Each structure stands twice: as C-alpha cells, then as structure tokens.
Amino acid sequence: VARAQTQNEGPYKKVLELIKKRGVQEITLGTMTFSHKDVAAALCQAIRNRVQVTVLIDSSAEMVTADSVAKCGGRVFKV
C-alpha cells in the first residue's frame, strides 16, 4: 500500500533542514512541481531573515505555492 510522504520524512525533510540552516545567504530551488506549503513557508521565513531566494519551476507547473514565495519577496522563474 502506497502512502504519501509527510513533511518530516523523505526529501522534504532534507530540503527543510537546508533552508533553515544558519549562515545561508542564498537559496536556489529548482523543481518540476511545487506544492508543499511548509517548504514555501520556510522559504518566506528565510527571506525575512535576509536570505536571497530564487525558485526555478517548470513552465507547466501550478504556480500557487511558488507565487506565495514571490509575494514574500523571492524571485520565481518559470523555465
């Protein structure tokens, strides 16, 4: 039986750890899809902490979550 990974496991846990790492000055995230609101929230917190955030997202992907990062001051590019 398949089940979805939660934010506390799989690659999302590592992504969140990297976003929250102290001393980071710039984050560039490249992704085909971007729907994890917890990742977007962590990126917005990083922006508030003066980290430069850039998200590169597939041109056919849903943009709602990426747009939330843009509203926080992140740079978002469809590629």
Side-chain angles (χ1 to χ4, degrees):
V1 174
R3 77 177 170 82
Q5 291 180 335
T6 68
Q7 68 181 19
N8 295 321
E9 58 188 24
Y12 303 107
K13 179 180 180 183
K14 186 63 176 175
V15 168
L16 288 170
E17 288 173 4
L18 291 170
I19 291 170
K20 295 174 183 179
K21 187 174 181 180
R22 290 183 183 260
V24 172
Q25 296 178 347
E26 182 176 353
I27 297 170
T28 301
L29 174 67
T31 184
M32 296 294 291
T33 62
F34 188 26
S35 60
H36 291 277
K37 293 178 181 175
D38 51 329
V39 173
L43 289 171
C44 285
Q45 181 60 50
I47 292 165
R48 288 189 289 277
N49 292 334
R50 302 184 186 261
V51 175
Q52 182 178 343
V53 173
T54 303
V55 176
L56 307 171
I57 188 168
D58 186 78
S59 62
S60 64
E62 172 62 47
M63 291 296 294
V64 173
T65 306
D67 285 343
S68 70
V69 174
K71 288 177 185 173
C72 291
R75 298 181 304 170
V76 176
F77 300 98
K78 286 183 124 181
V79 292

